[in-house]
Amino acid sequence: MKHFIYSLAIALTVAGQAMAQDNVKVNVDLKNVTDDKVSVTVTAPKIKEKTITYFIPKIVPGTYSVDNYGSFVEGFKAYDKKGKELTVTKADENSWKIENADKLVKVSYLVNDTYDTEGTGKHEIFSPSGTNIAANENFVINTHGFVGYFDGKGEMPYELTVIHPATLWGATSMTDTDESSEKDVFTVSRYPELVDHPIMYSKPDYTTFTVDGMDILISVYSPTGAVTAKAITPEMEVMMRAQKKFLGPINSTKKYAILLYLSDVMGNDAKGFGALEHTTSTTVVMPEAMPMDQLLSTLKDVVSHEFFHIVTPLSVHSKEIHFFNYNTPKMSEHLWMYEGVTEYFANLFQVNQGLISEEEFFTRISDKINQSRQFDDTMNFTKMSKNILEQPYKDSYYNVYLKGALIAMCIDIEMREASNGQRGILSLMRDLSKEYGSEKPFNDDELFARITALTYPQVGEFLKTYVAGDTPIPYENYFAKMGVTQAVIQKPGNPFLKNQQIPYVTVDANGNIIILPNIEGNAYMTNLGLKGGDAILSVNGTAYTVENIYDLIMASMAWEEGEPITLTIKRDGKEQEIKGNVKLPVEEVEGYKATNEAKSALRQAWLKG
């Protein structure tokens, strides 16, 4: 018996060693950056095939755009155990075919970053899904931009080792298993899990707190140090506590990381602002020049959206998402749920938890309706989603955040009405999460039937008619169910932007910012006596030209009614100073208002239940 146990122990040890070698090991060197490029070495698992292809993603989940991350890779080489180069053929922009692959030991290559070339026309990669390489300063490691996968080996475990300067710290929702100050080691179960975990290296500036058993990490990179993690954490903590309270028992992750990169928009830096969701984290890019009040307000909307992705697609998703093909993807029919339900929750929770008023919620919904009608309102939403990478559907992508959220709202209303306020779309998502969960994907073409079975026949009819059909949604009918009707409402405007979009200012041949000639001034301009053709030279002591006009627009978003303001202008060739107080313009727009008190209880169940 002892001999048997001893032999079994040896067998298990050998088997364990064999299993340990049956993974993909990646080394990323952030210490020895050469010519703004990072060296990556990938140790291959045992390969039996004579040829194999190594892929860098063409597309990643959450972006729904072809970005060709392989175009940022150069110097790709493959080696056998003696260090001899194997023959490599670049098959396309994102893949390399390796001959004699049964002898392959490792591949190596260099990676360029995307931030340096944003706005140059060389690519259109959205900044939060891009990469940054600034030696000894900052590295945004969206892992799909640095690490690829061998064909057919994407389900193998990965071990990622990152060598970095001791002065930089890696913020991520992964766990570093190495105690060294210059080496981090992360292990994940498969390639999609690695792609799902970004890392940001910078000088440590982070905070942590716990919400209902979930550990939250907020890490900030601010080039000048103008914004700190400590400064934004109180607002973020209030928001995330409200989100967790809203979600209730849905708790798919124990750790969540917010990685905030603040960009110097005037330099060779990130210029696309927003966020990209991940299962247990989000990467956020914003301009550092944005006033703090505006930054916090924007983060509240952007980060809350990304956080709600822990419901879908994390807990509820199709096979197209679970087994995502990064180079020849098949898209799911259900962007209305992945993005639409998520965006709806990002607005609903704020009125539910008292962060915004009912009036502001209705204004937001009204804005979504007006914007969504700029798209083809008869477009079959499931067909659009399935073909989102192709025209004409590609150009309708932004509508998933607009009409997608409105679809979710109407389902919510249908369920509230049918259940006398007791059930809504949040309870539906909880039921779907229990049935499927992160490891059990559904079949794309079966979701509507399952939702109908879990809810009510009228929900199934809605999905058939308005989501899988080509009939525009009669929003007024759905609002009427909740005692809400159309009304003209007033909303605050921006001193320099009509309807938050159309500029009141332009730039002359000398690079000066001028108020558009022959324009009817808004309340801000008439209050200060500004006229069309006036050149704005400075505001409150800060000089402005075409070089920093963006900063002026950002600063104006934080101005408050009645605050003192001093401008230096040039009119008819002469400089003059204007002193006064800010008067914010007010715009009248079509919106919605609660009018039927008989529906008050049902409306409260919808918005506050």
Side-chain angles (χ1 to χ4, degrees):
M1 177 62 73
K2 288 183 179 179
H3 176 73
F4 171 75
I5 294 174
Y6 179 71
S7 300
L8 180 61
I10 293 176
L12 288 173
T13 301
V14 172
Q17 290 174 345
M19 288 179 65
Q21 294 170 359
D22 198 19
N23 64 359
V24 181
K25 294 184 178 180
V26 182
N27 183 284
V28 177
D29 186 356
L30 305 183
K31 285 186 70 175
N32 301 294
V33 178
T34 304
D35 195 24
D36 203 34
K37 299 168 188 172
V38 162
S39 173
V40 177
T41 302
V42 181
T43 302
K46 181 62 179 176
I47 295 172
K48 298 179 180 179
E49 297 88 345
K50 284 294 183 181
T51 63
I52 199 164
T53 301
Y54 184 81
F55 293 97
I56 293 286
K58 175 181 181 179
I59 180 174
V60 294
T63 61
Y64 311 104
S65 64
V66 173
D67 289 329
N68 295 317
Y69 292 95
S71 63
F72 296 89
V73 169
E74 61 182 65
F76 188 97
K77 295 181 179 180
Y79 301 92
D80 65 15
K81 65 180 181 180
K82 295 182 179 180
K84 181 182 177 181
E85 282 193 42
L86 302 175
T87 301
V88 174
T89 304
K90 190 170 184 181
D92 59 30
E93 205 162 16
N94 304 289
S95 62
W96 293 260
K97 186 178 180 181
I98 304 167
E99 304 294 340
N100 297 315
D102 54 339
K103 298 180 180 179
L104 177 66
V105 171
K106 68 177 181 179
V107 301
S108 66
Y109 50 88
L110 298 174
V111 177
N112 293 280
D113 67 327
T114 68
Y115 285 7
D116 284 354
T117 52
E118 284 197 16
T120 63
K122 293 183 178 180
H123 67 85
E124 296 181 359
I125 293 177
F126 183 43
S127 302
S129 62
T131 57
N132 190 48
I133 297 172
N136 299 308
E137 180 70 20
N138 173 271
F139 297 88
V140 175
I141 309 293
N142 269 310
T143 41
H144 56 255
F146 290 82
V147 185
Y149 60 96
F150 294 101
D151 191 18
K153 312 295 181 184
E155 294 298 309
M156 282 187 167
Y158 268 66
E159 180 183 288
L160 172 65
T161 299
V162 183
I163 308 299
H164 61 89
T167 55
L168 303 186
W169 178 75
T172 181
S173 55
M174 291 189 290
T175 299
D176 173 21
T177 59
D178 189 279
E179 296 182 358
S180 168
S181 63
E182 296 186 339
K183 183 173 75 170
D184 297 338
V185 178
F186 308 103
T187 56
V188 294
S189 64
R190 62 191 190 120
Y191 181 72
E193 186 180 348
L194 180 66
V195 169
D196 209 25
H197 287 84
I199 317 169
M200 183 172 74
Y201 284 89
S202 54
K203 293 179 177 62
D205 180 12
Y206 66 93
T207 56
T208 59
F209 56 92
T210 302
V211 179
D212 294 339
M214 180 184 291
D215 294 328
I216 310 294
L217 164 70
I218 298 177
S219 179
V220 174
Y221 170 71
S222 176
T224 67
V227 180
T228 64
K230 184 178 179 180
I232 68 170
T233 293
E235 290 270 357
M236 292 294 98
E237 185 170 354
V238 168
M239 178 194 76
M240 298 190 83
R241 288 190 183 282
Q243 287 184 276
K244 286 287 289 176
K245 185 177 180 181
F246 171 79
L247 285 176
I250 297 178
N251 189 12
S252 302
T253 180
K254 295 298 182 184
K255 182 178 181 182
Y256 195 87
I258 299 169
L259 313 180
L260 174 59
Y261 179 94
L262 296 169
S263 168
D264 172 13
V265 296
M266 303 310 297
N268 295 328
D269 207 345
K271 292 178 173 60
F273 306 125
L276 178 67
E277 82 273 6
H278 296 274
T279 299
T280 57
S281 59
T282 180
T283 51
V284 188
V285 178
M286 290 290 165
E288 189 184 40
M290 183 179 283
M292 181 60 78
D293 287 350
Q294 185 67 24
L295 176 63
L296 290 172
S297 176
T298 303
L299 286 174
K300 184 168 66 174
D301 290 334
V302 170
V303 175
S304 63
H305 173 98
E306 306 307 335
F307 179 78
F308 277 126
H309 275 297
I310 68 173
V311 180
T312 182
L314 170 56
S315 293
V316 186
H317 57 254
S318 69
K319 291 179 179 178
E320 285 81 358
I321 299 295
H322 193 79
F323 302 108
F324 190 82
N325 189 311
Y326 298 89
N327 290 78
T328 54
K330 291 183 179 179
M331 308 307 290
S332 170
E333 295 181 353
H334 300 297
L335 276 175
W336 70 270
M337 183 175 71
Y338 308 136
E339 296 297 347
V341 170
T342 301
E343 177 64 11
Y344 177 60
F345 282 167
N347 287 275
L348 181 65
F349 99 94
Q350 294 190 52
V351 66
N352 180 277
Q353 296 295 309
L355 301 182
I356 61 174
S357 66
E358 288 186 21
E359 291 74 17
E360 186 172 349
F361 175 76
F362 291 142
T363 298
R364 291 180 176 208
I365 294 299
S366 177
D367 287 343
K368 288 188 182 297
I369 291 173
N370 293 332
Q371 291 181 61
S372 73
R373 284 173 172 163
Q374 297 175 20
F375 295 90
D376 180 359
D377 209 19
T378 65
M379 184 177 285
N380 180 312
F381 225 71
T382 54
K383 187 175 182 181
M384 180 264 280
S385 179
K386 191 75 173 177
N387 298 280
I388 197 66
L389 301 179
E390 306 168 9
Q391 297 293 8
Y393 308 103
K394 182 178 180 180
D395 289 341
S396 294
Y397 169 64
Y398 185 64
N399 205 18
V400 302
Y401 299 99
L402 305 171
K403 190 172 182 177
L406 299 171
I407 288 169
M409 179 191 73
C410 292
I411 294 172
D412 199 12
I413 290 173
E414 287 278 24
M415 292 184 65
R416 290 294 178 185
E417 183 185 47
S419 65
N420 196 28
Q422 297 304 303
R423 297 185 66 211
I425 195 168
L426 179 57
S427 61
L428 167 62
M429 297 311 297
R430 287 172 180 162
D431 291 343
L432 288 171
S433 296
K434 290 177 184 176
E435 181 161 340
Y436 295 106
S438 60
E439 298 302 320
K440 183 183 175 183
F442 58 79
N443 292 321
D444 230 36
D445 59 358
E446 297 176 359
L447 179 64
F448 283 175
R450 195 67 204 120
I451 288 176
T452 305
L454 289 170
T455 58
Y456 309 97
Q458 51 266 53
V459 172
E461 283 301 311
F462 174 87
L463 292 169
K464 179 182 176 181
T465 304
Y466 301 116
V467 184
D470 57 7
T471 305
I473 300 173
Y475 299 109
E476 287 69 26
N477 294 354
Y478 285 91
F479 280 122
K481 295 174 184 286
M482 298 292 118
V484 176
T485 57
Q486 277 189 307
V488 175
I489 61 172
Q490 293 185 331
K491 57 183 292 189
N494 180 273
F496 299 116
L497 295 173
K498 184 177 182 180
N499 298 327
Q500 302 293 334
Q501 297 180 33
I502 305 170
Y504 283 109
V505 294
T506 187
V507 178
D508 67 14
N510 297 317
N512 293 318
I513 301 169
I514 65 168
I515 298 174
L516 286 168
N518 305 317
I519 194 173
E520 182 180 349
N522 59 20
Y524 165 78
M525 290 183 274
T526 56
N527 182 60
L528 294 172
L530 295 172
K531 299 179 180 180
D534 286 349
I536 301 173
L537 304 182
S538 71
V539 179
N540 292 334
T542 301
Y544 290 104
T545 67
V546 64
E547 296 295 330
N548 61 344
I549 187 173
Y550 189 86
D551 293 350
L552 175 61
I553 302 298
M554 287 291 100
S556 71
M557 291 180 177
W559 293 347
E560 296 183 1
E561 183 77 16
E563 72 173 84
I565 190 168
T566 301
L567 296 90
T568 302
I569 69 167
K570 181 180 283 188
R571 179 183 296 166
D572 300 327
K574 296 180 181 179
E575 288 191 17
Q576 58 179 281
E577 187 176 78
I578 295 177
K579 289 188 176 183
N581 300 91
V582 171
K583 184 172 181 60
L584 296 175
V586 175
E587 298 173 351
E588 289 191 342
V589 296
E590 288 290 332
Y592 294 88
K593 184 179 293 185
T595 56
N596 187 342
E597 286 307 308
K599 300 277 189 178
S600 177
L602 189 57
R603 186 168 58 250
Q604 287 303 300
W606 170 36
L607 300 178
K608 298 290 187 178

